[in-house]
């Protein structure tokens, strides 16, 4: 695979690219470029002389044909909500292709339970369109008001509903994408069964824009639950959370649509920094679990199932207290308490973050070992470990000690990542559970993934992108 041109984009070439989109859709002024060159964690400042905002697949195709001809690197960008720098251009040689104007909902098929959308459609709009058709699109993320479907698929986003519905990969039946050559991969199929050779759709999902630019997708929809109940439970240990999960899955089966865990410190941060927040339980507990049960039969069925889970857990001593949301406002608040946890850490200073997964049964062991290791390395560090116990995904975040120097703390990011990730590896886990690789974890991926797997990935990259123009410096 050859390398793209690393010299800054010339004025003449910039004008050629700009001519491929309608007037006003090529951004070149610093104030217009700025929103596309800054990401949420401020870890990867972007550099580029041009942002293109195509409105059709044909325009994306023309951009990539010219990019292939001129060996110009291209960085696709969705809602710019990624956490690993995969959407950030790294030099003035690179142009950004924003998918935000590809925002049509193309088709809804209620009988086949599918919706076909452009890549730039915001996740919340897909949820709303499904709801209007009496159906459910279950992907749910804290950034759902701004993240886009193309980015969700490119990063194989997870979220809170994975326990029942799976990752983005499981929610997508078909993909349309523009390849590095400008050719369009027409894969918008609505088939649940299609065994005609290799599944190229699955290669594009999770590839973070390094194999092609996703422009459209066929997504799976589900029957809308007739009843949904949310509760918080307070527990004394991580082992107790595993027991509660087993009980909940035994009682509810696939009706268990969320099982989110958080420590007391995360709850305290949220109470402190979230307007209108309140502790769902009367007294404090070492751990909290948010449970959601959804029923396709009735609201009463959801209520009785959740009550059976909690009453059985109380009698068995698996939980210390619990409360069920008694109104839709309560349920909204309960979820908001969980969703604000990421943002509530920011006012507390620097935060070293990890997005890891281990086998579900080993989550308590991971927490115990990681807590011991990071506390020994940084006395006074504040551990905010929350996430999705049902799929073993823990956001193991570390807030700086009170009064510590933020810069000095963040300078230890690599050291602490290595410490935590070594424990994850020893437990057979992954250091990239749902946020992807991007720039942040690229070197670690090549250092830790088995050589045969890396060579296969590099071979796929060379086949799809022989000139290395698609999102260079990311993943491989």
């Amino acid at each position: 695979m050859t390398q793209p041109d690393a010299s800054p984009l010339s004025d003449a070439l910039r004008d050629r690219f700009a001519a491929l989109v309608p007037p006003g859709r090529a951004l070149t002024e610093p104030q217009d470029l700025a929103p596309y060159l800054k990401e949420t964690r401020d870890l990867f400042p972007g550099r580029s002389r041009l942002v293109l905002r195509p409105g059709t697949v044909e325009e994306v195709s023309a951009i990539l044909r010219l990019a292939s001809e001129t060996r110009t690197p291209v960085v696709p960008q969705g809602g710019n909500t990624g956490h690993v720098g995969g959407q950030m251009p790294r030099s003035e040689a690179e142009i950004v292709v924003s998918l935000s104007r590809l925002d049509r909902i193309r088709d809804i098929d209620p009988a086949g339970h599918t919706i076909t959308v452009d890549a730039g459609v915001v996740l919340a709009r897909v949820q709303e369109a499904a709801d209007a058709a009496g159906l459910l699109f279950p992907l749910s993320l804290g950034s759902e008001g701004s993240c886009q479907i193309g980015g969700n698929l490119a990063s194989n986003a997870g979220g809170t509903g994975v326990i029942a519905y799976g990752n983005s990969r499981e929610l997508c039946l078909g993909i349309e994408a523009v390849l590095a050559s400008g050719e369009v991969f027409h894969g918008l199929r609505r088939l649940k069964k299609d065994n005609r050779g290799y599944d190229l759709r699955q290669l594009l999902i999770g590839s973070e824009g390094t194999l092609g630019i996703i422009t459209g997708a066929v997504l799976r929809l589900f029957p809308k639950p007739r009843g949904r109940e949310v509760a918080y439970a307070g527990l004394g240990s991580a082992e107790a959370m595993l027991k509660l999960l087993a009980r909940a899955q035994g009682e509810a089966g696939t009706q268990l649509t969320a099982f989110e865990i958080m420590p007391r410190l995360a709850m305290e941060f949220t109470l402190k920094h979230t307007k209108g927040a309140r502790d769902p339980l009367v007294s404090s507990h070492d751990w909290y679990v948010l449970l959601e049960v959804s029923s396709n039969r009735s609201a009463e069925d959801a209520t009785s199932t959740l009550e059976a889970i909690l009453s059985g857990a109380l009698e068995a001593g698996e939980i210390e207290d619990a409360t069920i949301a008694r109104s839709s406002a309560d349920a909204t608040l309960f979820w908001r308490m969980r969703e604000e946890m990421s943002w509530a850490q920011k006012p507390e200073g620097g935060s070293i973050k990890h997005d890891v997964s281990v086998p579900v049964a080993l989550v308590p062991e991971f927490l115990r070992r990681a807590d011991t290791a990071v506390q020994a390395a940084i006395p006074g560090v504040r551990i905010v470990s929350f996430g999705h116990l049902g799929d073993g995904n823990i956001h193991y975040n570390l807030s700086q000690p009170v009064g510590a120097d933020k810069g000095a703390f963040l300078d230890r990011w690599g050291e602490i990542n290595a410490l935590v990730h070594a424990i994850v590896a020893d437990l057979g886990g992954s250091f990239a559970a749902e946020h992807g690789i991007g720039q942040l974890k690229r070197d670690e991926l090549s250092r830790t993934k088995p050589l045969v797997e890396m060579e296969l990935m590099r071979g796929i990259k060379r086949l799809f992108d022989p000139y290395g123009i698609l999102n260079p410096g990311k993943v491989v």
Side-chain angles (χ1 to χ4, degrees):
M1 182 176 67
T2 59
Q3 295 300 314
D5 189 353
S7 58
L9 189 70
S10 68
D11 290 348
L13 188 52
R14 184 173 65 177
D15 291 344
R16 289 181 67 188
F17 277 107
L20 299 175
V21 296
R25 302 303 181 185
L27 309 180
T28 59
E29 296 300 321
Q31 66 271 20
D32 297 327
L33 295 172
Y36 301 89
L37 305 181
K38 180 179 172 62
E39 46 85 31
T40 56
R41 290 183 175 175
D42 294 325
L43 294 176
F44 302 100
R47 296 173 58 204
S48 177
R49 300 190 69 218
L50 178 65
V51 172
L52 298 175
R53 302 179 64 230
T56 67
V57 176
E58 291 74 21
E59 290 172 11
V60 177
S61 176
I63 291 166
L64 284 183
R65 279 199 303 272
L66 181 56
S68 181
E69 173 193 330
T70 58
R71 310 295 192 262
T72 303
V74 174
V75 178
Q77 190 176 105
N80 194 13
T81 60
H83 291 326
V84 292
Q87 75 279 26
M88 283 291 109
R90 302 181 308 146
S91 78
E92 292 188 350
E94 302 177 9
I95 64 173
V96 174
V97 175
S98 167
L99 282 299
S100 59
R101 291 187 60 241
L102 273 73
D103 63 351
R104 293 178 304 130
I105 293 176
R106 303 187 192 183
D107 176 70
I108 297 181
D109 177 7
H113 284 191
T114 67
I115 183 170
T116 304
V117 302
D118 284 354
V121 176
V122 170
L123 172 56
R125 278 191 64 211
V126 179
Q127 296 168 341
E128 291 162 3
D131 185 68
L135 295 166
L136 171 73
F137 183 61
L139 182 63
S140 182
L141 309 168
S143 58
E144 61 195 29
S146 54
C147 65
Q148 297 171 9
I149 289 299
N152 297 151
L153 293 171
S155 60
N156 188 28
T160 57
V162 173
I163 187 172
Y165 301 105
N167 290 323
S168 296
R169 190 180 298 282
E170 284 75 46
L171 299 176
C172 180
L173 293 176
I175 284 284
E176 174 188 81
V178 181
L179 305 179
S181 63
E183 295 175 280
V184 180
F185 172 74
H186 296 285
L188 290 180
R189 304 181 184 102
R190 296 183 290 177
L191 303 174
K192 293 183 172 68
K193 292 184 176 180
D194 183 3
N195 283 330
R196 294 175 295 170
Y198 303 139
D199 193 345
L200 301 179
R201 162 197 55 150
Q202 294 291 9
L203 281 176
L204 290 162
I205 297 172
S207 67
E208 300 185 46
T210 62
L211 302 181
I213 297 180
I214 294 172
T215 54
V218 178
L219 306 172
R220 295 178 63 196
L221 302 179
F222 295 82
K224 188 191 300 185
R226 293 195 173 106
R228 181 179 289 166
E229 293 289 352
V230 183
Y232 265 102
L235 306 90
S237 68
E239 288 76 14
M241 294 188 296
L242 275 184
K243 293 178 181 178
L244 179 60
L245 174 63
R247 179 181 296 277
Q249 290 177 319
E251 290 278 355
T254 57
Q255 293 185 102
L256 182 66
T257 48
F259 195 96
E260 299 290 298
I261 67 169
M262 58 218 75
R264 178 62 195 176
L265 183 60
M267 181 67 72
E268 289 175 355
F269 282 2
T270 304
L271 291 170
K272 181 178 178 182
H273 299 295
T274 302
K275 186 177 180 180
R278 61 176 173 81
D279 197 324
L281 299 176
V282 175
S283 56
S284 63
H285 302 271
D286 290 342
W287 287 95
Y288 293 79
V289 170
L290 181 150
L291 304 92
E292 180 184 83
V293 170
S294 303
S295 172
N296 289 331
R297 290 187 286 271
S298 67
E300 293 76 18
D301 180 56
T303 302
S304 63
T305 301
L306 187 53
E307 287 177 344
I309 293 168
L310 296 176
S311 61
L314 279 167
E315 290 174 10
E318 295 164 359
I319 62 176
E320 299 169 345
D321 194 10
T323 185
I324 298 176
R326 294 304 177 188
S327 66
S328 60
D330 268 359
T332 298
L333 176 64
F334 280 14
W335 267 112
R336 186 172 169 228
M337 295 286 291
R338 163 61 183 86
E339 290 162 353
E340 290 291 330
M341 281 183 182
S342 293
W343 310 110
Q345 295 164 65
K346 202 158 191 175
E348 294 294 326
S351 181
I352 297 174
K353 300 180 183 294
H354 307 81
D355 167 42
V356 303
S357 62
V358 298
V360 173
L362 299 181
V363 168
E365 181 179 349
F366 162 72
L367 292 171
R368 186 166 52 250
R369 289 174 59 180
D371 287 0
T372 299
V374 300
Q375 286 167 345
I378 307 179
V381 69
R382 295 174 293 169
I383 302 170
V384 185
S385 45
F386 64 96
H388 327 294
L389 183 62
D391 52 55
N393 177 196
I394 304 299
H395 300 291
Y396 191 77
N397 296 347
L398 307 173
S399 287
Q400 67 182 64
V402 175
D405 177 81
K406 180 178 178 179
F409 176 73
L410 293 178
D411 283 345
R412 301 186 67 181
W413 189 299
E415 170 198 347
I416 300 302
N417 274 185
L419 197 65
V420 172
H421 292 165
I423 297 168
V424 171
D426 189 54
L427 296 175
S430 168
F431 62 79
E434 67 176 1
H435 291 161
I437 299 297
Q439 299 179 61
L440 181 65
K441 301 178 182 180
R442 178 179 181 244
D443 291 344
E444 186 163 5
L445 179 71
S446 62
R447 187 173 62 251
T448 60
K449 203 170 183 70
L451 180 60
V452 66
E453 294 184 44
M454 286 304 303
E455 285 305 309
L456 286 169
M457 288 175 61
R458 291 181 180 121
I460 292 168
K461 172 69 171 173
R462 285 191 293 269
L463 178 64
F464 274 77
D465 183 17
Y467 301 127
I469 63 171
L470 285 174
N471 218 5
K474 320 293 171 52
V475 186
V476 294

